[in-house]
Amino acid sequence: MSAGSTLVTGIGELVTCDGTGGGGAGVRRDHALVVEDGRVAWVGPAASAPSADAVVDVEGRCVLPGFVDSHAHLVFAGDRSAEFAARMAGERYDGGGIGVSVGATRAAGDDELRALLAGRVAEMRSQGTTTVEVKSGYGLTVADEVRGLRLAGEVTQETTYLGAHVVPEEMRADRSAYVDLVTGEMLAACAPHARWVDVFCEPASPHAFTGEESRAVLVAGRDAGLGLRVHGNQLGHGPGVQLACELGAASVDHCTYLSTADVDALVGSAGTTTATLLPGVEFSTRSPYPDARALLDAGVSVALASDCNPGTCFSSSMPFVVALAVREMGMTPSEAVVAATRGGARALRRDDIGRVEVGARADLAVLDAPNHLHLSYRAGVPLARVLEV
């Protein structure tokens, strides 16, 4: 190995997420790996490890790919804890609270938003997340959406234009004019700062977008060169999943209320469209959890993400998401880890992250535990962190 290489050894359990073994976790014991130029250069039995310029001994801990959080809303100001308390007292979520965050975010300066964003990303890394997708959507004016994406681009390459989050209060009297803005002037200004376009397709909410409006947003975004993502079927049955599969979206997120036809569409589109489940939202809104077990058994491509946001899940913890997936959605611990790593990478159409294989990015996490079972076994304990090599 060349100068600058690092041998990571003393690994109690290496979770490669290479698609082999139970749940595709590719668990290896008594293995080591070498990192060179930010990539995995070698993986194999520790006894056969080549020499390297430096050595990191993790002393029996578990090493796994860094979590890939493919759905997060991190550019915002303000506080909505009172809304959470109201939901715990029985108030139903319908998307209306987003307007509170829009007002606070519009009023915040760039430096304030940048500091808040940096703090949230640091919090994620302290819990093992190495890649995060960040959406706009709390500005809902041309200037504020551009600002949100520009700031997001300072911390990730996975930036998503979500001008179609909700219809802002000042334009509710003319929804069509807002859709025209989102698909016209706002899109033109935001597309250079985004990789993806997203829409809150939720006819059950008076604040979000119908199937027809969502189609217009997605087609316009696609024509502008952006990849497609969809918020779908969160509050009730609706057209989001079918629309995402029809248009070849990389991911349709939430998938809480699914018909047989929706599941069939996801199965048929498994090579293209991932169902990204966000159980932190169900935890924070007292909503029913998606049936991940049924989706996996049917052959659906499944990912897990945090949906860290100020209203429906203000948690940045992917280990918490993994524990919820195991406890509430019928996933095995191995399946949940794969969905939170390789599944998230698939939802972002990335093949360089979410796995520990030669050629992949050396985005690694380490657990203060001997194996990955502890992520759900010791829920709420800060076991995971990014492994700096």
Side-chain angles (χ1 to χ4, degrees):
M1 293 293 159
S2 68
S5 61
T6 300
L7 170 66
V8 181
T9 190
I11 300 172
E13 177 184 85
L14 178 64
V15 183
T16 65
C17 296
D18 66 358
T20 65
V27 172
R28 307 283 190 270
R29 292 181 175 82
D30 298 319
H31 267 49
L33 61 94
V34 174
V35 174
E36 188 174 356
D37 297 326
R39 300 270 174 172
V40 177
W42 180 89
V43 180
S48 303
S51 60
D53 190 56
V55 177
V56 173
D57 187 343
V58 298
E59 301 178 333
R61 293 176 174 84
C62 174
V63 171
L64 65 159
F67 297 117
V68 180
D69 191 345
S70 61
H71 184 131
H73 307 251
L74 302 184
V75 185
F76 66 87
D79 180 83
R80 287 164 63 187
S81 56
E83 180 185 324
F84 172 80
R87 282 200 306 274
M88 295 304 101
E91 186 174 302
R92 187 173 182 275
Y93 173 74
D94 71 353
I98 292 170
V100 175
S101 295
V102 170
T105 304
R106 287 177 178 178
D110 284 13
D111 289 344
E112 178 184 356
L113 288 177
R114 181 179 286 110
L116 290 168
L117 174 60
R120 290 162 191 151
V121 172
E123 186 177 270
M124 288 178 159
R125 286 187 63 83
S126 74
Q127 299 171 91
T129 295
T130 50
T131 300
V132 61
E133 178 257 19
V134 179
K135 304 178 191 294
S136 66
Y138 291 120
L140 309 186
T141 66
V142 174
D144 284 306
E145 286 296 292
V146 169
R147 177 173 71 149
L149 287 167
R150 178 171 48 79
L151 292 171
E154 294 177 3
V155 300
T156 184
Q157 68 184 76
E158 301 296 342
T159 54
T160 299
Y161 166 50
L162 185 56
H165 200 181
V166 294
V167 179
E169 183 176 359
E170 68 270 15
M171 298 195 73
R172 286 179 189 163
D174 193 350
R175 294 177 60 92
S176 63
Y178 187 66
V179 174
D180 288 345
L181 179 65
V182 168
T183 58
E185 179 187 355
M186 188 183 288
L187 171 62
C190 288
H193 304 280
R195 184 180 179 210
W196 306 96
V197 62
D198 199 346
V199 59
F200 188 9
C201 179
E202 196 63 66
S205 168
H207 311 283
F209 297 85
T210 66
E212 182 179 340
E213 291 167 340
S214 298
R215 179 184 294 276
V217 170
L218 294 169
V219 169
R222 182 184 64 189
D223 290 347
L226 302 180
L228 308 186
R229 319 188 73 73
V230 179
H231 284 61
N233 300 58
Q234 176 187 1
L235 304 179
H237 291 282
V241 166
Q242 298 281 340
L243 184 61
C245 293
E246 176 195 339
L247 295 180
S251 184
V252 54
D253 301 20
H254 289 290
C255 297
T256 309
Y257 294 89
L258 298 179
S259 66
T260 300
D262 292 332
V263 175
D264 289 344
L266 288 167
V267 172
S269 301
T272 302
T273 301
T274 292
T276 299
L277 309 183
L278 313 168
V281 172
E282 281 72 46
F283 178 87
S284 300
T285 60
R286 292 193 188 277
S287 300
Y289 288 89
D291 189 348
R293 177 78 270 136
L295 294 177
L296 288 168
D297 289 347
V300 174
S301 172
V302 173
L304 291 171
S306 73
D307 195 7
C308 182
N309 76 85
T312 57
C313 181
F314 198 5
S315 173
S316 59
S317 175
M318 287 294 282
F320 176 58
V321 169
V322 167
L324 285 177
V326 173
R327 173 63 178 84
E328 302 290 349
M329 299 199 305
M331 300 179 83
T332 68
S334 293
E335 289 168 339
V337 167
V338 171
T341 53
R342 191 162 188 152
R346 193 163 49 242
L348 294 173
R349 292 192 174 152
R350 297 275 299 273
D351 61 7
D352 61 332
I353 56 176
R355 58 194 177 94
V356 182
E357 293 181 279
V358 172
R361 287 178 55 87
D363 292 349
L364 305 171
V366 62
L367 307 183
D368 285 325
N371 60 59
H372 71 284
L373 301 178
H374 283 244
L375 283 168
S376 42
Y377 173 49
R378 303 192 68 207
V381 179
L383 300 177
R385 56 182 169 84
V386 171
L387 179 61
E388 304 287 355
V389 291

